[in-house]
Amino acid sequence: MCRIAGAPPRSLLQPLLLVLAALLQAPIKATSEGILCKTGFPEDVYNAVISRGLNEGQPLLNVGFRSCDEKIKVQFESSEPADFRVGEDGMVYAARSFQLSTDPTEFIIYAQDKETQQQWQVVVKLSIEPTFAEHSEKDENKIEEIVFPRQQYKHSSHLQRQKRDWVIPPINLPENSRGPFPQELVRIRSDRDKSLSLRYSVTGPGADQPPTGIFIINPISGQLSVTKPLDREQIASFHLRAHAVDVNGNQVENPIDIVINVIDMNDNRPEFLHQVWNGTVPEGSKPGTYVMTVTAIDADDPNALNGMLRYRILSQAPSTPSPNMFTINNETGDIITVAAGLDREKVQQYTLIIQATDMEGNPTYGLSNTATAVITVTDVNDNPPEFTAMTFYGEVPENRVDVIVANLTVTDKDQPHTPAWNAMYRMTGGDPTGRFTILTDPNSNDGLVTVVKPIDFETNRMFVLTVAAENQVPLAKGIQHPPQSTATVSITVIDVNESPYFVPNPKLIRQEEGLLAGKMLTTFTAQDPDRYMQQTALRYSKLSDPANWLKIDPVSGQITTIAVLDRESQYVENNMYNATFLASDSGIPPMSGTGTLQIYLLDINDNAPQVHPQEATTCETLQPNATNITATDRDIDPNAGPFAFELPETPPSIKRNWTVIRISGDHAQLSLRIRFLEAGIYDVPIIITDSGNPPKSSTSILKVKVCQCDINGDCTDVDRIVGAGLGTGAIIAILLCIIILLILVLMFVVWMKRRDKERQAKQLLIDPEDDVRDNILKYDEEGGGEEDQDYDLSQLQQPDTIEPDAIKPVGIRRLDERPIHAEPQYPVRSAAPHPGDIGDFINEGLKAADNDPTAPPYDSLLVFDYEGSGSTAGSLSSLNSSSSGGEQDYDYLNDWGPRFKKLADMYGGGDD
């Protein structure tokens, strides 16, 4: 702890303490060093001067508790726990943010031993510090001095007690100070600076911890200064600790705590959380209806005037029906209505300019800011729907459904496409059978009168409906539906040509099968519902008769048979035969109706029973040799089973070799009567008789395959079984496949022979496309002389089958060959068969031509490119080479080799 400089001297205070201890008989404890110690608070009353506005968690002062026993654990409590709390180190903090009253605040701090429950208490008095201006004027030239508390010293003759601790009030420093800097705050001094050379320092945030360098101390004089302006919105208070050490760094005094509070200045304007606020209020609201709340914040101290905001409305647009339709709570920002007359149909939206001012709304010193509040007047159902006409008209053809017959139009002044505007239509009369419904068009809000049940013109020719219109939500309180919310709908039914209908439909009759053709079966007629139309009689026709058994008279509708009725027909299902007939009228347009005649055919015994299966297998020996057979009958009970099975009398071998035993009404067993029967296929006739009246019987042939069997009764005579199992149909199919295969082979052979003949015939006349020479000259290029001889002669390989010209048959010649006539004689070239390489053949011919001095310009090489006598191009030999290019130098032809020797002699010989 510390005290303010100028306290009573130490020599006077120590005797007073000893006297006071003796008077109070306080427990005094002598330590091992002989120093007196008292457990409890050093002071009875702690005084502190602080600012009026307190922030939650703000440290106020330290009530030091002295414990002479280190084992004692003390718990602190405040008599005002809602406003102040005490830390374990005795530091008193503000428990909440609030404003102190102008009168001194007093409360008690309790300290209680957790084990012995011993309790101590001390009184704390808080006073409000004067304003900064008053403090500056009073102590402008006076710097406060903080002295370290005196320590306990040991003397040879007597004991000295430590001086009572002083509570150091916080240092209040205004933010945004203009300096000059560094600005001196207080001077820290120790009483021992007279005998020792001391060094002072401060630690904590703002000194040697971030933000560093804000506070500095002169290490010699102990002068504490601030180096720059402070901002309370960044850091509201600083907690520093002052130290005093000697020149060797040894601690001379216990550190003391220094709290520096930054005094708030009104340097921040209020800021609204939103620049534009949106709210709604129902139309017709009463005065005092809550609308919305606007909120602004101020970065200044909210517990000081700088951060206390007040709201007010600057303007309202539009100003109808009253310029003051709304008011605002100046402290909370709640906007409420103050006047009646909100009508959405007249004013749908109001715009308010809201101002927030600090300094409790002081217009002179407070800072202010504005925001916009947009209040939308919401619709309520205060306007009922009204029909645009009292009577609506419509018409509908009879028997039509899902047809809109009338559009009901209404007007509603409420906001479109809201429940207060959406109309619902309700029929209050005129439709007892529910043949109409009214739907609402969601876009136009019109009522669509729709037919949902067919209407018969012959029964009802007109409907008069009464319709009421309502909204999806009830009308506002006090508003009634006017007469215009009810209308009449007159609907006329139009007569149309309706389809005739058979009565009854379907018509069911019962008839025994076997009814012969030409017999009258029944009469099936229809009725025409159009009683008020002039039409001829109905005409009948057959629409569906799957078995083609019936015909109908077109005028009377009498149905007769044209074939025998057979219950066992494939067109009869579950004894029922269905035929459909058509009745047509002569209306415009003509209409027709269909009727179904259902004939239930009664069974008669007209089908003999048959055996199933028709093939069976048994063994040669007597055992096991039983074969199960079944009798089937297309008739039904009682003309079917039970059946009687027997073998015929002839031939006698049947009863001698076989026997049949009935095992049930539909089943029997066929078995051998003799011990052994040679393997083979046997036709066993079986007489089967049904239970009809009269009964009907038939003789069915059962093919029995008798084979050798093993001990298990399985056939082992494979060859016989295979032969017996191959039926006539399978043999015919195999033969047909063989015949088709032979025909295909013969056709292929004939086609190959014809192809060979065609090839032989074509060899007599060579196709130009197949000629090798034409293939060589096909490209129609003249080449580039000697430089164009780099071609691959290997592509000209030709077999030796090329027929030489010398052995060609007389009279067979290609049309493009040179005609046979008298020509100059040249050296005869060999016509012997040349080797397979045509390239060598061509080179030999070229050598012969080069060495022939008598060869004309079109030498023997032209034999390969002669195109026939009918060519439109003249011979190259007819060109007069001397007529063109006479002045050119042709001596270079001598360098081109022997092939161009002739040309060199003709053109390169100079003037000769």
Side-chain angles (χ1 to χ4, degrees), residues 512-515 564-569 601-610 633-636 638-640 690 692-697:
E512 283 190 353
E513 64 172 330
L515 184 66
V564 179
L565 304 184
D566 186 7
R567 191 198 65 83
E568 290 75 32
S569 172
L601 294 174
L602 303 176
D603 185 40
I604 63 175
N605 195 12
D606 58 344
N607 292 279
Q610 300 291 329
D633 196 330
R634 298 180 62 189
D635 294 325
I636 60 176
N639 298 320
D690 61 21
N693 187 19
K696 205 171 188 64
S697 63

Side-chain angles (χ1 to χ4, degrees), residues 265-546:
M265 305 294 289
N266 193 16
D267 57 345
N268 291 279
R269 290 181 177 273
E271 295 290 340
F272 283 92
L273 297 181
H274 305 285
Q275 193 58 36
V276 178
W277 297 78
N278 293 287
T280 59
V281 61
E283 62 176 330
S285 296
K286 297 180 179 180
T289 302
Y290 171 81
V291 179
M292 60 190 300
T293 299
V294 297
T295 303
I297 58 175
D298 196 318
D300 292 326
D301 188 357
N303 299 315
L305 294 177
N306 300 333
M308 295 183 179
L309 306 182
R310 295 296 182 266
Y311 302 93
R312 70 188 186 102
I313 299 176
L314 296 182
S315 64
Q316 170 192 307
S319 58
T320 57
S322 171
N324 297 315
M325 295 294 296
F326 305 92
T327 186
I328 188 171
N329 187 308
N330 63 348
E331 293 186 1
T332 63
D334 295 341
I335 299 176
I336 59 175
T337 60
V338 293
L342 290 173
D343 190 351
R344 191 205 63 85
E345 286 71 35
K346 296 180 180 179
V347 180
Q348 299 182 1
Q349 192 177 81
Y350 289 91
T351 302
L352 308 179
I353 304 300
I354 310 298
Q355 183 185 57
T357 306
D358 58 16
M359 298 296 291
E360 292 185 331
N362 190 317
T364 303
Y365 303 104
L367 302 177
S368 61
N369 211 338
T370 60
T372 302
V374 179
I375 301 175
T376 301
V377 182
T378 58
D379 188 33
V380 298
N381 194 13
D382 57 346
N383 294 282
E386 298 180 0
F387 286 99
T388 58
M390 297 303 297
T391 304
F392 296 88
Y393 299 92
E395 58 183 21
V396 58
E398 63 174 331
N399 299 322
R400 296 285 299 275
V401 294
D402 297 330
V403 177
I404 298 175
V405 298
N407 277 26
L408 311 181
T409 56
V410 296
T411 60
D412 196 318
K413 296 179 182 180
D414 291 321
Q415 185 175 357
H417 306 291
T418 62
W421 179 83
N422 296 333
M424 297 188 305
Y425 299 89
R426 178 172 52 89
M427 283 184 291
T428 59
D431 185 24
T433 57
R435 299 184 180 273
F436 299 92
T437 187
I438 304 179
L439 305 177
T440 303
D441 188 326
N443 295 322
S444 63
N445 214 25
D446 294 346
L448 309 178
V449 182
T450 307
V451 181
V452 294
K453 292 182 180 180
I455 302 175
D456 187 7
F457 174 80
E458 287 71 24
T459 304
N460 300 98
R461 299 187 181 185
M462 178 176 287
F463 290 88
V464 178
L465 308 178
T466 304
V467 180
E470 300 173 348
N471 293 121
Q472 291 181 349
V473 295
L475 289 173
K477 187 177 181 180
I479 300 178
Q480 303 295 329
H481 285 280
Q484 292 80 2
S485 296
T486 304
T488 302
V489 183
S490 177
I491 301 175
T492 302
V493 182
I494 303 174
D495 188 18
V496 297
N497 187 21
E498 300 178 77
S499 301
Y501 59 93
F502 285 87
V503 180
N505 190 18
K507 183 176 182 180
L508 176 64
I509 63 173
R510 301 172 65 88
Q511 176 65 44
E512 283 190 353
E513 64 172 330
L515 184 66
L516 300 179
K519 300 294 183 179
M520 198 277 290
L521 190 61
T522 185
T523 300
F524 196 21
T525 58
Q527 299 179 7
D528 193 343
D530 298 312
R531 300 193 299 268
Y532 302 98
M533 287 188 177
Q534 298 297 328
Q535 298 183 12
T536 60
L538 299 178
R539 304 286 294 181
Y540 301 97
S541 61
K542 185 172 63 175
L543 183 63
S544 172
D545 183 11

Side-chain angles (χ1 to χ4, degrees), residues 609-616 629 644-661 668-671 673 681-689 697-704:
Q610 300 291 329
V611 67
H612 180 80
Q614 296 181 356
E615 295 181 355
I629 59 175
F645 302 86
E646 61 179 337
L647 298 177
E649 297 293 336
T650 57
S653 59
I654 297 300
K655 281 193 173 183
R656 184 176 61 249
N657 297 336
W658 305 93
T659 180
V660 62
I661 301 174
Q669 279 189 346
L670 179 69
S671 59
R673 180 184 291 272
I681 299 177
Y682 298 86
D683 292 338
V684 180
I686 302 175
I687 301 174
I688 305 176
T689 305
S697 63
S698 67
T699 301
S700 300
I701 304 299
L702 177 63
K703 287 186 175 293
V704 181

Side-chain angles (χ1 to χ4, degrees), residues 125 165 190 225 260 391 579 871 874:
K125 293 183 179 180
D165 293 337
S190 174
S225 304
I260 300 176
T391 304
S871 175

